[in-house]
Amino acid sequence: MPFNRRSFLAQSSLAAAATLLPRELFAQTGAAAGAADAYAKARPMIAGPFQPTWESLRDNYHVPAWFNQAKFGIFIHWGLYSIPAHGNEWYIKHMYTTDSEWHTVHYGSPDKFGYKDFIPLFTVKKYEPNDWARLFQQAGAKYVVPVAEHHDGFAMWNSDLTPWCAGKMGPKRDLIGELATAVRKQNLIFGCSSHRMEHHTFAYPAPGVPNDEFDPKYAGFYGPPIPGNMNDGNASKAFQEDWLARVQELVDKYQPQMIYFDNGVNPRDYDDVKLRAAAYYYNRAAQRDKPSTIATKDVAYLFGSVQDFEKQQRAPRWIYPSAGWQCDDSIGSTWGYTTGMTYRSADSIINELIEMCCLGGNLLLNISPMGDGSIPEPQQKALLAVGEWLKSNGEGIYGSHAWTHYGEGPSVPSEAPGDWKGGSTANAGPRLGRRPNIPITEGEFRFTTNNGNLYAFGLKYPVAEAKIRSLSTVAARVERVTLLGPTPTPLKFKQTPEALIVTMSPSAESTQPYTLRIEGTHPLGAI
């Protein structure tokens, strides 16, 4: 059965029936009260300008300046699922449902070798956080967001709330804390991501699959799981309090300037606990004078969050009038490392970064370290190539804004398309056919503005001349055109009633976009 990452429902008949029964029958309780791995209690709220209400978030939250300046961040999916490296990062779900046969062949029956048994194998002997952070800096990224806890419920930090964490089991290292220190040494912004709210239903087993998930010894890790879907809003109050306690611990231990919550926080059922998390986080950030932000999808947070779109196909397709948004997308065919995964080219990543910036957003690019803590060579090469391009072309990216329109060329519609606002990962609509693929031509340009200049990114280097129809004599008065590169080069140009025509320098064969800095008078540089 093919994996469908965002629409996979619990497949047992019990799961279907559970929607008709009282939630209390399936409310997870975790380990017994008093046990070391019992669900934690949230900390008291702290004083500050933020109250746990939508009105307070609406009136007090502002997107931090660093976010729109940064434009390019690194997302990291790495955890226990990187050890089997099979299927995708949802391994815990599939080993107890659709892929139990593969797991049995390679590791044994799921009741004898359960997901918990990957913990001793997760020793991360090749994890060098300083090398990671140096690579991210060389890639031109400005913020770094590792997944601190994925849907599987294993905390990647040294937690005081649960022993089911990297600090006390497996590597017995504070993987998140070490990376936070290394990232800040490179003068990058540190954030983290919590997917824990999806844990409570995530790994409910299929009928007939032997499993270890309901053994009381492991209740603090598995939950145990309850039937349902991650967006049903049916997590118990005890689980919600534990979720909040873990968020507070991340805030207090690591001072992240972004906390990314995945889809599980979307239901309105969780508004109370979500608001308490936001108020705690933002009041703590105010105490430290560290501008910070939550990032969420859809309308999980009505206010107080930058909006995230998962993958480019769900991102806006027109200039999106928002104070701050990002698209998270992956460098490879899966989010977590898998054997045989394929990788995107640096050119593909650069094109996506340009596209997001021209639409007014950021790109949060996910990488997939191996289970031993090493970053595969193809991923490193792609990141370094992006960094080399940004060294010469970054002035049109960092701190940039969308222009009056985001681009021109055969692939750019004349007006906002019907799906201009992007799509949802939580609420699947009807399956839509893909648009026809339009070959990139020399007439394909994207635009940003920065410091009063207009930047035109040409997606294909022309043989002799670049013609930009948006900059005819009717539209603007151009005074200077410069080709960016290791040595910026002034170019000859002329304006006609039809276009700005730029005489291009001969170029070595390159498939990467090129950048023109265009200076002149209004409306050049208009936001």
Side-chain angles (χ1 to χ4, degrees):
M1 180 180 292
F3 300 129
N4 186 328
R5 192 170 178 276
R6 287 302 175 205
S7 61
F8 188 103
L9 300 175
Q11 299 195 2
S12 70
S13 57
L14 179 58
T19 61
L20 305 176
L21 297 173
R23 290 182 179 181
E24 291 75 10
L25 293 180
F26 297 98
Q28 68 282 70
T29 58
D37 55 351
Y39 283 153
K41 301 294 186 183
R43 302 177 187 185
M45 290 292 100
I46 55 178
F50 289 88
Q51 301 300 314
T53 68
W54 291 125
E55 291 82 0
S56 182
L57 289 185
R58 179 194 64 195
D59 297 341
N60 292 288
Y61 169 81
H62 302 283
V63 175
W66 68 258
F67 178 79
N68 285 314
Q69 180 69 32
K71 291 301 177 185
F72 182 39
I74 297 293
F75 200 16
I76 307 168
H77 275 69
W78 181 49
L80 300 183
Y81 45 83
S82 307
I83 296 296
H86 173 74
N88 58 30
E89 61 289 338
W90 283 18
Y91 189 88
I92 187 175
K93 173 181 279 290
H94 300 306
M95 68 171 279
Y96 293 116
T97 54
T98 58
D99 222 9
S100 60
E101 183 177 348
W102 188 95
H103 178 84
T104 300
V105 168
H106 290 83
Y107 294 100
S109 176
D111 62 330
K112 305 300 183 186
F113 190 104
Y115 191 75
K116 70 183 185 309
D117 295 300
F118 286 114
I119 297 174
L121 305 182
F122 190 58
T123 57
V124 305
K125 292 181 179 178
K126 295 184 179 180
Y127 176 50
E128 298 290 346
N130 287 312
D131 292 347
W132 283 26
R134 192 176 304 111
L135 173 64
F136 304 152
Q137 191 276 333
Q138 292 171 342
K142 300 300 183 183
Y143 60 114
V144 178
V145 184
V147 174
E149 184 176 348
H150 202 244
H151 311 7
D152 60 1
F154 187 72
M156 295 284 282
W157 68 96
N158 186 22
S159 177
D160 298 323
L161 304 178
T162 176
W164 298 97
C165 67
K168 295 178 174 60
M169 294 183 181
K172 296 185 179 178
R173 291 173 61 180
D174 188 347
L175 305 179
I176 291 297
E178 291 178 28
L179 186 59
T181 299
V183 162
R184 289 178 174 128
K185 283 182 181 177
Q186 296 294 332
N187 295 315
L188 305 179
I189 295 288
F190 180 77
C192 58
S193 179
S194 170
H195 304 218
R196 179 167 178 76
M197 193 62 94
E198 284 140 291
H199 177 63
H200 63 294
T201 60
F202 193 66
Y204 196 81
V209 175
N211 67 84
D212 60 338
E213 295 185 280
F214 295 91
D215 188 323
K217 293 193 300 291
Y218 313 126
F221 183 45
Y222 292 126
I226 63 173
N229 179 263
M230 66 177 72
N231 288 307
D232 285 348
N234 60 346
S236 68
K237 291 297 184 182
F239 180 90
Q240 292 180 47
E241 286 297 306
D242 181 78
W243 174 85
L244 176 56
R246 295 189 188 208
V247 171
Q248 292 171 327
E249 184 174 55
L250 287 170
V251 168
D252 289 339
K253 276 181 176 277
Y254 308 113
Q255 304 178 27
Q257 289 184 255
M258 171 180 281
I259 298 182
Y260 173 104
F261 294 132
D262 202 21
N263 277 317
V265 301
N266 291 345
R268 297 269 72 87
D269 307 69
Y270 302 146
D271 279 2
D272 175 71
V273 73
K274 289 186 309 195
L275 286 165
R276 290 161 62 201
Y280 189 94
Y281 177 44
Y282 289 136
N283 284 333
R284 191 68 86 197
Q287 289 176 353
R288 296 168 175 153
D289 195 24
K290 281 195 170 185
S292 301
T293 187
I294 289 169
T296 53
K297 298 171 183 173
D298 292 8
V299 288
Y301 273 77
L302 303 179
F303 310 101
S305 170
V306 297
Q307 188 167 0
D308 182 275
F309 298 88
E310 184 180 308
K311 288 192 167 288
Q312 186 173 7
Q313 61 262 38
R314 298 188 188 94
R317 289 180 47 80
W318 201 254
I319 295 173
Y320 193 75
S322 169
W325 61 270
Q326 67 184 11
C327 171
D328 69 285
D329 210 338
S330 189
I331 200 169
S333 52
T334 52
W335 295 88
Y337 176 78
T338 53
T339 302
M341 69 184 294
T342 58
Y343 300 111
R344 298 168 58 186
S345 67
D347 292 359
S348 168
I349 297 166
I350 292 167
N351 279 317
E352 184 176 9
L353 174 60
I354 290 171
E355 196 82 5
M356 295 306 104
C357 291
C358 295
L359 293 166
N362 291 13
L363 174 63
L364 183 64
L365 179 71
N366 179 75
I367 65 162
S368 311
M370 298 178 71
D372 62 9
S374 62
I375 298 174
E377 192 67 23
Q379 297 184 40
Q380 294 192 46
K381 288 182 177 179
L383 290 174
L384 291 172
V386 173
E388 282 300 310
W389 185 87
L390 281 166
K391 285 179 183 177
S392 297
N393 300 275
E395 69 177 77
I397 297 293
Y398 302 122
S400 66
H401 302 273
W403 192 42
T404 55
H405 48 292
Y406 80 90
E408 68 175 48
S411 71
V412 178
S414 58
E415 59 183 23
D419 59 349
W420 72 273
K421 291 182 179 180
S424 169
T425 57
N427 302 300
R431 183 178 293 277
L432 300 178
R434 291 183 176 271
R435 288 184 172 83
N437 188 33
I438 300 175
I440 294 176
T441 71
E442 296 177 2
E444 204 75 56
F445 293 94
R446 300 293 182 266
F447 305 118
T448 64
T449 66
N450 201 3
N451 295 322
N453 299 325
L454 175 66
Y455 292 86
F457 300 93
L459 303 190
K460 183 176 181 180
Y461 203 93
V463 174
E465 296 178 331
K467 296 181 180 179
I468 305 177
R469 302 189 183 281
S470 299
L471 295 174
S472 67
T473 52
V474 177
R477 180 180 176 182
V478 175
E479 297 172 354
R480 280 176 299 280
V481 179
T482 304
L483 176 66
L484 299 188
T487 303
T489 306
L491 299 177
K492 295 181 180 179
F493 65 91
K494 63 180 179 181
Q495 278 184 284
T496 72
E498 288 74 39
L500 169 67
I501 302 172
V502 182
T503 302
M504 300 298 294
S505 305
S507 173
E509 193 68 26
S510 175
T511 57
Q512 292 185 343
Y514 65 95
T515 310
L516 301 176
R517 182 204 302 137
I518 303 171
E519 301 169 78
T521 56
H522 188 79
L524 293 181
I527 296 175

